[in-house]
Amino acid sequence: MTTHGTQVEKTFLRSLTLCVSLASLVLARADETWYPAGLTPLVAVIAWYVVDTRHWLRLTVPVANALGILAFVAMAIEFFGNSLLGKLLSGAHLLVYITWVVLFLQKGFRQFWWLAALCILQLAVASVLVSDGEFGLSVVVLLLLLLWTLSVFTLYRGQVRASRSDDVVADSLNPGMNREDSLNPESATSATIIVRNGLQVDTNETWISWKLRGMVGFAFVSSLFVGAIAFLVFPRVQVEGSPLAELASSQIQSRGLSQTGFTDNVQLGEIGRIMQTEGRVLQFKIARVQDDAPVTPEAFADAMRLDEIIFRGNALGHYENRRWTPGSSQGQSFGDLSTNQRFVRNEGMADFRISIQQEPPIRTFAFSPTPVLNLRYRSRENAIHLRRLSSTLTWEELKDRDRALPKTYTVWIRKPPSGQRFHSPEVIDDRHDFPTEQLFDFRTSARVRFQQERYAHDWCITRNLDRDLPELCRLAEQVILPTDGSSTDSPTARQRADRIFHFLNTSGQFQYSLTAEVQEPAMDPVEDFVLNRKTGHCEYFASAFALMLQAVGVPARVINGYKGYDRNSVSGQLEVRQKHAHTWVEVWIDQHWETFDPTPAAARENAVTQSGSLDWLRDLSWSFNDLWRSMVENMSSQRQEALIAPVVTAVQAKLKEVREQGIWETLKKFWKEWVLHPEHWFSGQALIGTFVILLIPGLLMRQNLKRRWKDLLRAMRAWWNPQLRQQASVVRFYEHFCDVCRRHGLTLSDSQTAQEHAHAAVQRFNSVLLSPSDRQLPQRIATAFNQVRFGNSGLPQETIEQLRTDIQRLNDLLTHPEVPAFVN
């Protein structure tokens, strides 16, 4: 095997191994498990080394068939009795198992095609389960890799057919080469191969050249361009109610921890797990309602009298068995979960407008700063409700498929006189520049004030705390006492709150950490935090503060949400990430709810703002996902028309301009308006115009204008001169004869004469040209060519018809299936 051949074989096998590995990794990501698809790269590398490179191990056909049967049995066991998603994944796993078997087979061309087909099938299954930007990027990369691999595969097939090596691979797709031929190189076809476009065997130029890479790259870019045009031009087809349409939804719903913990029941510690990840949960923009000017998060926080912007989520008032719940009414007649209220207020009364995009999976709660004056969801008015007693926002009537998609909504925020720390119904009534009857009735009615009081004491004070957390209760009683013993009066609710807050936040006894461990597992984690380790994150600070207040008779509820934000370094978007998850407390004091954050702010800020060297890569990934979602996933027929309409309108306008003013005037106008003004060079119209201008000469250059012009002149002359027409006909016959010889392995040099070509053909195809008449075929063709081309004489019509018959006869003899192989 030649050096070039060895290079082609190694390049092809490595490229194919990489294709198989990448396709399986895409499937593993969609399946969200490393078994079995995630093991394919390891299996592929082992097979490449021990089977294709070292030839140490190769499965026989019976063993491969047995393994294939086992794969079907494994698939059947997984298939029956499973959900629709499980059935689909069982088929995907079968593809993986078959890929493993084929990798360890003794491979011919047919097995290589099987591997390519299995790669595409795995990608098709993954497309049902995921459709985000990372999957799109994987498809693009795999497209480039497949184009490269198939291009090298073409060279590899040519190398194998020309090789005399004992290791030649059987071409199972070529009927002209059987198994015996491939294993017996002396009996195999030994044809001389001419690879055009700079890839010649008979030169020192390498087969895997930069010209080949350039052609593959051009094909890749062209494929992307044509695919993008087809995606924009062809109308969208949406099938509602398809079972497969729900599979991606169920995958996203079960994925990760992006909003675990923001439900009506939260296990202590769940928020802490969210805080240790970097996933994005919200994007937002803030604008001033008065003049629609953008507002920074810092300016908004200052207006709301906060140190950082916060997005409020759920409110939980009852603690039992290490779990927070909304509350337990203990037989009372009303509760917060049944008091949903729709938004109907005037948006003009608000100070700020915030557009929020909530990332999937969408659970129970929507997140927003408070107090919310009005809210609108882009698809319908009343998808989000307000629980009027806990002031939490909840999603209503969303299907699983809807919960797997990002949701964008807009909230209008009114700046309370006392800031966001005070957000009771009574406080926002202090503004009298709008009619009070436009507010909800429950905010001013005595009945609702009574309900708020009942809700605070019944739902936000955990019963039997002295029994379940006795040490915590005793500590709370001690903390609320004045340190100097100057007063024996019972402290007020505010005094109790301030003293417990000081104990946890400013006394210096407690430290913030995301990695603290429980010291006494048998003890309740909150008691262990307060009494033993005194180190924890916001969830422990807030839980300890709320329970100590409840232990001394002050209603309190923990609030889960997000505090702070990051700016995407690539797109500039304002983003809230999982690491910004935070827990604080709202306390019922003086007939209103007041916010307290007992977590040490400086320590938490240091933990949240820590950045890594690869943060830009994360930002780039999210930006690409946003672009993919906007341009691919959410591409509706309306958006499609909106994108195409300007292009169609511009083309129609230019055509109309050309018809009215002429091409010359249009070109002069383009020169004056665009070419002479550099500020217009990077616009869409300029790019399209430049593309068209460069495309025309590019296509003309590809056509070999000099040769085309000569052919045109020759054709025109032949039209008027019968002798030239006859000459052109004979020349075409001779060129056809040369092409037939080259296709069947005879190299014809341009420096040789027609008679020499005929003699070489007779010598090469001696075993085919058996009859005397057949042996004279090449000589008759060469004689006719010389007579017409150089003798400037005509031929009878019968001779021309005989030449046509001779050419067809030679082609039939050489391409007949039973013609034996020829050897140099």
Side-chain angles (χ1 to χ4, degrees):
M1 186 176 296
T2 65
T3 304
H4 292 329
T6 303
Q7 179 196 20
V8 171
E9 181 182 18
K10 290 181 177 179
T11 303
F12 168 64
L13 293 176
R14 291 170 182 170
S15 301
L16 185 63
T17 302
L18 192 58
C19 278
V20 173
S21 301
L22 179 58
S24 298
L25 289 177
V26 173
L27 180 60
R29 180 186 175 277
D31 192 7
E32 291 193 330
T33 178
W34 286 103
Y35 182 81
L39 298 178
T40 301
L42 178 61
V43 175
V45 171
I46 294 175
W48 166 76
Y49 187 77
V50 303
V51 177
D52 302 322
T53 303
R54 296 295 182 180
H55 308 293
W56 290 344
L57 174 67
R58 287 178 179 177
L59 293 181
T60 62
V61 174
V63 173
N65 291 337
L67 292 176
I69 293 175
L70 289 178
F72 272 98
V73 172
M75 184 272 294
I77 295 174
E78 188 178 359
F79 182 87
F80 291 105
N82 213 330
S83 63
L84 179 60
L85 177 61
K87 295 179 187 297
L88 178 67
L89 291 178
S90 66
H93 297 165
L94 176 63
L95 295 177
V96 175
Y97 299 144
I98 294 177
T99 301
W100 292 357
V101 174
V102 176
L103 285 172
F104 282 93
L105 278 174
Q106 180 179 355
K107 300 180 191 65
F109 293 149
R110 181 171 300 172
Q111 286 70 37
F112 292 139
W113 282 115
W114 287 353
L115 289 175
L118 288 168
C119 290
I120 297 174
L121 288 175
Q122 292 182 53
L123 198 65
V125 174
S127 68
V128 178
L129 302 176
V130 293
S131 59
D132 56 11
E134 294 180 6
F135 172 76
L137 182 61
S138 301
V139 172
V140 172
V141 173
L142 196 57
L143 170 63
L144 173 60
L145 196 54
L146 282 172
L147 284 174
W148 168 258
T149 303
L150 292 177
S151 300
V152 180
F153 185 37
T154 302
L155 299 182
Y156 179 58
R157 291 187 65 183
Q159 173 258 311
V160 168
R161 290 176 176 176
S163 176
R164 293 172 176 266
S165 171
D166 293 338
D167 293 329
V168 68
V169 179
D171 185 358
S172 57
L173 299 180
N174 181 16
M177 176 183 284
N178 54 31
R179 178 68 178 171
E180 290 73 16
D181 290 336
S182 66
L183 297 179
N184 185 8
E186 295 301 327
S187 63
T189 300
S190 179
T192 302
I193 297 176
I194 300 297
V195 183
R196 299 185 178 182
N197 293 323
L199 303 172
Q200 288 95 10
V201 181
D202 55 345
T203 69
N204 292 326
E205 183 178 359
T206 177
W207 285 33
I208 310 297
S209 65
W210 284 107
K211 186 170 294 186
L212 174 65
R213 297 182 178 97
M215 289 188 296
V216 174
F218 177 77
F220 169 68
V221 174
S222 302
S223 301
L224 289 182
F225 180 77
V226 173
I229 296 299
F231 181 78
L232 289 175
V233 171
F234 287 96
R236 305 273 74 77
V237 178
Q238 298 179 352
V239 180
E240 299 293 340
S242 171
L244 291 179
E246 304 295 332
L247 292 180
S249 303
S250 60
Q251 281 290 91
I252 296 178
Q253 286 284 60
S254 62
R255 184 175 300 160
L257 292 168
S258 59
Q259 288 186 28
T260 300
F262 293 101
T263 58
D264 276 324
N265 295 277
V266 178
Q267 185 74 31
L268 191 67
E270 287 183 344
I271 302 298
R273 289 198 295 271
I274 298 177
M275 295 163 58
Q276 301 182 52
T277 54
E278 288 279 348
R280 189 180 67 191
V281 292
L282 298 174
Q283 288 188 91
F284 66 97
K285 295 180 181 178
I286 310 175
R288 190 181 295 111
V289 173
Q290 182 180 2
D291 54 6
D292 205 32
V295 178
T296 64
E298 291 78 11
F300 175 81
D302 289 341
M304 305 299 288
R305 301 186 183 181
L306 299 169
D307 56 342
E308 288 185 277
I309 186 172
I310 60 175
F311 293 84
R312 193 174 184 273
N314 55 357
L316 308 171
H318 187 265
Y319 181 80
E320 186 176 5
N321 296 327
R322 307 183 180 189
R323 179 178 294 275
W324 281 100
T325 60
S328 176
S329 63
Q330 298 294 327
Q332 301 299 324
S333 59
F334 68 93
D336 177 53
L337 303 183
S338 61
T339 59
N340 287 344
Q341 182 67 48
R342 296 180 179 181
F343 294 92
V344 293
R345 295 189 218 167
N346 186 356
E347 299 162 359
M349 299 185 296
D351 297 301
F352 302 100
R353 182 182 68 253
I354 306 180
S355 298
I356 302 173
Q357 177 176 289
Q358 186 172 339
E359 300 291 340
I362 307 299
R363 303 295 188 184
T364 304
F365 297 96
F367 300 89
S368 169
T370 57
V372 178
L373 187 69
N374 200 4
L375 185 148
R376 288 186 182 176
Y377 175 54
R378 62 180 183 179
S379 63
R380 58 183 186 272
E381 293 291 330
N382 299 309
I384 300 177
H385 289 183
L386 174 73
R387 291 179 181 173
R388 62 181 182 179
L389 296 180
S390 63
S391 300
T392 57
L393 302 174
T394 60
W395 289 95
E396 300 293 335
E397 300 177 358
L398 287 180
K399 299 179 180 179
D400 287 343
R401 182 182 182 186
D402 294 330
R403 295 183 184 277
L405 300 174
K407 296 290 177 288
T408 301
Y409 51 94
T410 303
V411 296
W412 282 261
I413 306 295
R414 186 172 185 84
K415 181 173 60 177
S418 301
Q420 190 171 347
R421 180 177 178 183
F422 302 93
H423 45 81
S424 76
E426 291 78 10
V427 170
I428 66 170
D429 288 351
D430 291 344
R431 298 283 291 271
H432 299 292
D433 55 349
F434 59 89
T436 56
E437 60 268 15
Q438 292 186 8
L439 293 175
F440 291 123
D441 291 339
F442 75 82
R443 290 198 178 276
T444 55
S445 68
R447 177 174 178 272
V448 170
R449 292 186 182 181
F450 170 75
Q451 288 182 342
Q452 284 279 354
E453 184 76 24
R454 291 286 303 274
Y455 159 77
H457 287 86
D458 290 342
W459 285 63
C460 298
I461 293 183
T462 302
R463 302 297 184 266
N464 301 320
L465 270 180
D466 55 347
R467 182 195 65 190
D468 298 333
L469 305 174
E471 297 296 331
L472 183 70
C473 292
R474 281 193 289 268
L475 178 62
E477 293 288 350
Q478 297 174 7
V479 170
I480 65 173
L481 296 177
T483 56
D484 56 3
S486 59
S487 174
T488 59
D489 296 335
S490 177
T492 64
R494 180 169 298 280
Q495 289 174 332
R496 298 176 189 181
D498 289 340
R499 290 169 184 174
I500 296 176
F501 180 84
H502 169 73
F503 172 71
L504 293 170
N505 184 265
T506 60
S507 66
Q509 300 183 39
F510 295 87
Q511 304 295 324
Y512 180 88
S513 174
L514 287 171
T515 59
E517 297 181 357
V518 175
Q519 292 189 10
E520 295 189 23
M523 181 181 291
D524 184 271
V526 179
E527 275 194 331
D528 181 68
F529 164 72
V530 174
L531 300 174
N532 296 327
R533 70 176 189 268
K534 298 183 183 298
T535 301
H537 51 75
C538 61
E539 201 172 4
Y540 289 98
F541 278 93
S543 297
F545 184 57
L547 290 176
M548 291 176 74
L549 284 172
Q550 293 181 9
V552 296
V554 180
R557 60 193 183 192
V558 297
I559 308 298
N560 292 324
Y562 296 95
K563 183 178 182 180
Y565 76 100
D566 280 343
R567 186 181 295 274
N568 190 297
S569 60
V570 177
S571 65
Q573 294 289 330
L574 305 179
E575 300 178 341
V576 177
R577 306 185 188 278
Q578 294 171 344
K579 68 178 181 179
H580 295 113
H582 191 51
T583 303
W584 60 95
V585 179
E586 292 176 355
V587 185
W588 181 255
I589 300 176
D590 300 332
Q591 302 298 307
H592 68 267
W593 290 101
E594 188 170 331
T595 297
F596 288 81
D597 190 355
T599 305
R604 177 189 175 274
E605 184 178 358
N606 291 334
V608 171
T609 56
Q610 289 180 355
S611 60
S613 58
L614 297 179
D615 285 353
W616 66 270
L617 185 60
R618 175 204 61 197
D619 293 344
L620 179 63
S621 174
W622 279 110
S623 300
F624 182 79
N625 282 335
D626 292 338
L627 180 64
W628 180 269
R629 180 186 297 160
S630 174
M631 299 302 298
V632 179
E633 291 186 47
N634 297 335
M635 180 61 70
S636 61
S637 56
Q638 293 78 10
R639 291 195 61 199
Q640 187 182 19
E641 293 176 2
L643 288 174
I644 297 177
V647 178
V648 175
T649 303
V651 172
Q652 292 175 345
K654 289 299 179 184
L655 291 177
K656 182 179 179 181
E657 185 177 351
V658 170
R659 286 195 299 267
E660 294 177 352
Q661 302 180 12
I663 297 179
W664 180 245
E665 292 296 329
T666 304
L667 292 176
K668 289 196 299 183
K669 183 178 179 181
F670 176 79
W671 178 270
K672 294 178 180 179
E673 293 182 357
W674 297 97
V675 178
L676 299 182
H677 294 275
E679 64 273 14
H680 295 162
W681 290 357
F682 298 99
S683 64
Q685 295 185 25
L687 291 176
I688 295 175
T690 304
F691 175 77
V692 174
I693 292 174
L694 295 178
L695 179 63
I696 295 174
L699 293 176
L700 293 177
M701 291 176 62
R702 291 288 297 174
Q703 299 301 315
N704 196 339
L705 294 182
K706 183 177 180 181
R707 178 181 176 183
R708 298 294 181 183
W709 180 251
K710 289 182 178 180
D711 292 342
L712 178 62
L713 291 179
R714 188 181 298 111
M716 294 176 62
R717 290 175 58 193
W719 178 261
W720 297 103
N721 191 332
Q723 185 174 355
L724 290 179
R725 289 202 302 270
Q726 185 184 81
Q727 179 180 352
S729 177
V730 174
V731 171
R732 284 197 300 272
F733 287 149
Y734 177 73
E735 291 177 349
H736 190 188
F737 161 75
C738 294
D739 289 339
V740 170
C741 293
R742 290 191 180 98
R743 285 200 307 269
H744 293 276
L746 176 60
T747 302
L748 300 177
S749 175
D750 293 338
S751 62
Q752 292 178 317
T753 64
Q755 295 290 346
E756 290 172 335
H757 289 169
H759 180 72
V762 172
Q763 295 296 323
R764 177 60 184 273
F765 307 129
N766 182 50
S767 59
V768 175
L769 305 176
L770 300 178
S771 66
S773 177
D774 290 341
R775 288 181 178 275
Q776 295 177 3
L777 279 176
Q779 188 65 39
R780 288 199 300 266
I781 296 172
T783 300
F785 172 76
N786 288 332
Q787 183 178 353
V788 173
R789 184 70 177 82
F790 302 106
N792 198 24
S793 60
L795 295 177
Q797 185 64 30
E798 296 80 7
T799 304
I800 295 177
E801 293 297 331
Q802 182 62 40
L803 287 176
R804 180 180 290 106
T805 303
D806 289 343
I807 294 293
Q808 185 63 40
R809 171 64 177 170
L810 178 63
N811 185 69
D812 292 341
L813 288 173
L814 296 180
T815 58
H816 195 277
E818 296 184 357
V819 172
F822 307 122
V823 181
N824 282 325

